[in-house]
């Protein structure tokens, strides 16, 4: 396939992924606004809007898998993600979001003097997220030893965030909100792993596509939906959900969007 045509195809697929992310975020917000019972942490049985949200998440996985299959079959092996000016700006935004989240979490731990081991581990490794995104915006430092070490710490931080969410019992153990958080953070972690593979020159077009598209749609979509709920209906039961963490995930999803298109 002609590389220019392929580039246009992945540009369209990236745009479609953004549309799916907005759909996921909107349906999550509408379901939370209209049929979420904060007392039990569940959506009403038979809610069409919640089913639409769930269908959007399943569709996102299918879509990302199809994009990865196309990349494996048609894309050149040396395809690279976009590293232009816009991505540098978004990377800096992610670094700032991670820094603000770190300061907020640190202050919270010092004030409350109560923490879990996953929360403490996520906090200790969170500067890795700050450095990883900040250095990614500097061409002369991107891919260096410090960048790679910070990327390892960033992956550990997001992994521990997932454990923190799991052991946060402000939400019921089987609450769909807890499951949505896990899905949002798992896609974030997958994207970071893909970025690390790119830095180590061990990535493949297929893995980069499934990681990037998943992060755009799942990390971005769920973070968008949760932010809308926290902003417009703050008393609707998303106890324990951090708005700052959602902002970080949203900026990470914007970074992932550049991995959906060719840099060449």
């Amino acid at each position: 396939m002609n590389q220019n045509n392929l580039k246009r195809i992945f540009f369209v697929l990236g745009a479609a992924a953004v549309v799916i992310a907005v759909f996921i975020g909107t349906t999550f917000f509408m379901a939370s606004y209209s049929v979420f019972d904060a007392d039990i942490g569940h959506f009403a049985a038979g809610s069409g809007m919640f089913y639409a949200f769930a269908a959007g998440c399943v569709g996102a996985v299918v879509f990302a898998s199809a994009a990865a299959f196309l990349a494996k079959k048609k894309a050149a092996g040396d395809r690279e993600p976009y590293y232009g000016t816009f991505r540098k700006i978004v990377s800096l935004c992610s670094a700032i979001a991670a820094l603000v989240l770190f300061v907020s979490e640190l202050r919270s731990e010092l004030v409350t003097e109560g923490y879990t081991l996953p929360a403490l581990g996520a906090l200790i490794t969170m500067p890795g997220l700050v450095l990883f995104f900040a250095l990614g915006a500097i061409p002369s430092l991107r891919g260096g030893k410090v960048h790679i070490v910070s990327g390892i710490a960033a992956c550990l931080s997001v992994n521990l965030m997932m454990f923190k969410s799991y052991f946060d019992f402000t939400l019921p153990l089987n609450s769909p909100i807890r499951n949505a958080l896990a899905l949002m953070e798992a896609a974030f972690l997958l994207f970071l792993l893909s970025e690390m593979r790119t830095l180590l020159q061990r990535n493949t077009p297929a893995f980069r596509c499934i990681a990037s598209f998943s992060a755009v749609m799942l990390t971005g979509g769920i973070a968008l939906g949760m932010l809308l709920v926290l902003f417009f209906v703050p008393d609707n039961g998303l106890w324990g959900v951090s708005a700052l963490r959602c902002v970080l995930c949203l900026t990470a999803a914007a970074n992932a969007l550049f991995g959906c298109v060719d840099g060449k």
Side-chain angles (χ1 to χ4, degrees):
M1 181 181 292
N2 181 279
Q3 289 300 305
N4 288 330
N5 290 338
L6 189 64
K7 189 170 183 177
R8 284 193 289 269
I9 288 172
F10 276 94
F11 181 84
V12 172
L13 290 176
V18 173
V19 173
I20 294 172
V22 172
F23 174 81
I24 289 173
T26 302
T27 52
F28 180 88
F29 168 70
M30 294 302 296
S32 300
Y33 178 75
S34 58
V35 294
F36 186 72
D37 189 335
D39 293 330
I40 61 174
H42 283 272
F43 296 93
S47 166
M49 197 59 67
F50 175 70
Y51 287 152
F53 163 71
C57 292
V58 173
V61 175
V62 173
F63 185 94
S65 300
F69 180 79
L70 178 63
K72 182 179 180 180
K73 291 294 184 181
K74 301 296 184 181
D78 62 348
R79 290 179 71 239
E80 295 180 358
Y82 171 80
Y83 281 119
T85 302
F86 290 116
R87 184 166 192 181
K88 294 173 186 176
I89 294 172
V90 174
S91 291
L92 287 175
C93 289
S94 294
I96 293 170
L99 178 60
V100 173
L101 176 62
F102 172 70
V103 172
S104 175
E105 293 282 327
L106 179 61
R107 179 178 179 278
S108 177
E109 296 294 347
L110 292 174
V111 170
T112 61
E113 297 183 352
Y115 58 86
T116 62
L117 288 178
L120 183 60
L123 179 64
I124 292 172
T125 53
M126 202 175 295
L129 272 169
V130 181
L131 273 177
F132 180 75
F133 284 116
L135 296 179
I138 306 172
S140 61
L141 299 178
R142 185 173 59 241
K145 291 181 180 179
V146 176
H147 195 200
I148 291 172
V149 171
S150 68
I152 295 172
C155 291
L156 285 173
S157 184
V158 176
N159 197 10
L160 289 165
M161 281 182 193
M162 293 173 61
F163 284 109
K164 178 183 177 182
S165 297
Y166 181 81
F167 289 108
D168 182 358
F169 297 109
T170 54
L171 289 167
L173 186 61
N174 60 345
S175 170
I177 303 301
R178 181 189 294 272
N179 296 334
L181 280 171
L183 194 57
M184 177 181 77
E185 291 161 354
F188 187 3
L189 177 59
L190 186 65
F191 167 65
L192 288 176
L193 291 173
S194 175
E195 290 291 283
M196 286 298 297
R197 289 183 58 164
T198 297
L199 293 179
L200 296 171
Q201 299 182 348
R202 294 291 186 272
N203 213 354
T204 64
F207 187 83
R208 178 164 68 84
C209 275
I210 197 167
S212 299
F213 279 103
S214 295
V216 170
M217 293 179 286
L218 296 175
T219 303
I222 294 172
L224 173 63
M226 288 186 173
L227 280 172
L228 290 173
V229 174
L230 291 169
F231 185 77
F232 289 106
V233 280
D235 297 325
N236 214 40
L238 296 190
W239 320 127
V241 177
S242 166
L244 291 176
R245 196 188 312 182
C246 289
V247 170
L248 172 61
C249 286
L250 198 59
T251 62
N255 268 285
L257 180 62
F258 295 113
C260 299
V261 298
D262 274 323
K264 293 184 176 181

